[in-house]
Amino acid sequence: MAMTRKASFPPVVRADTRLLLLGSLPGEASLRADRYYAHPQNQFWKLAGAVAGIEGLHERSYEDRLVQLLDAGIGLWDVVADALRCGSLDAAIRDHRVNDLVALVGTLPRLRAVGFNGATAARLGRKMMTELAEIRLFDLPSSSPAYTLGFASKLERWMAMRPCLQQ
């Protein structure tokens, strides 16, 4: 498999976003489907639905999932704007360029927290967020099927963000 340049999707946010969930860079299944977290074994939609208090979010249409998250105050984006990568694993990311997270955060006046979905997102994203002391940062276990921590353990860590959604 050749190493090719892959790019992230545009951010999914509104001015009332209170929690921003940041992945690293979409995997092959997501890039093919042109949507966030498209791999059928990725647990993102179940985890995010639990944080938002939305039962069965993962069973809804993609468009409805995005609307429901936005209505709950949750936005999505990726830390990496583009990179060379063979396959879907974060360990294969090379020659990356980051998204301007600080500029995006500047457009979100109600933002209270950022959750980094996985170690790569946290390692790269935290470097850009050092000046944003009023925003809580959460390093989350990856929702990827490649990260084999059990769902209950992932869910416990993700649920720590739920209070950030309170009005």
Side-chain angles (χ1 to χ4, degrees):
M1 190 180 292
M3 187 149 319
T4 57
R5 185 149 295 273
K6 312 216 170 122
S8 66
F9 304 129
V12 175
V13 294
R14 290 194 314 216
D16 63 346
T17 296
R18 294 182 300 281
L19 170 61
L20 180 61
L21 298 176
L22 297 172
S24 55
L25 182 67
E28 294 295 324
S30 293
L31 292 169
R32 277 192 304 277
D34 194 29
R35 60 187 179 118
Y36 284 99
Y37 303 102
H39 191 288
Q41 273 99 35
N42 193 298
Q43 298 171 324
F44 175 83
W45 296 106
K46 289 181 181 180
L47 293 164
V51 171
I54 304 168
E55 184 108 10
L57 179 66
H58 63 286
E59 297 168 344
R60 299 176 187 200
S61 73
Y62 179 68
E63 294 74 20
D64 192 38
R65 291 177 199 178
L66 295 180
V67 169
Q68 293 291 312
L69 283 187
L70 288 170
D71 287 348
I74 298 175
L76 305 176
W77 205 21
D78 288 304
V79 174
V80 176
D82 60 68
L84 290 173
R85 185 180 65 201
C86 179
S88 296
L89 296 179
D90 285 353
I93 291 174
R94 302 287 181 268
D95 188 29
H96 73 277
R97 190 175 57 87
V98 294
N99 279 314
D100 192 345
L101 301 178
V102 174
L104 179 68
V105 167
T107 69
L108 304 173
R110 298 194 55 209
L111 189 68
R112 294 179 174 178
V114 171
F116 297 106
N117 185 3
T120 300
R123 180 175 50 81
L124 298 175
R126 275 185 172 275
K127 291 178 185 176
M128 292 179 274
M129 303 259 180
T130 56
E131 304 295 318
L132 305 173
E134 70 281 359
I135 296 174
R136 293 188 62 194
L137 303 179
F138 293 87
D139 293 359
L140 304 169
S142 175
S143 64
S144 168
Y147 189 67
T148 58
L149 183 69
F151 182 78
S153 296
K154 289 181 184 184
L155 182 61
E156 182 179 349
R157 297 263 307 278
W158 279 62
M159 290 301 285
M161 298 183 296
R162 193 166 191 181
C164 299
L165 293 174
Q166 304 308 314
Q167 297 287 1

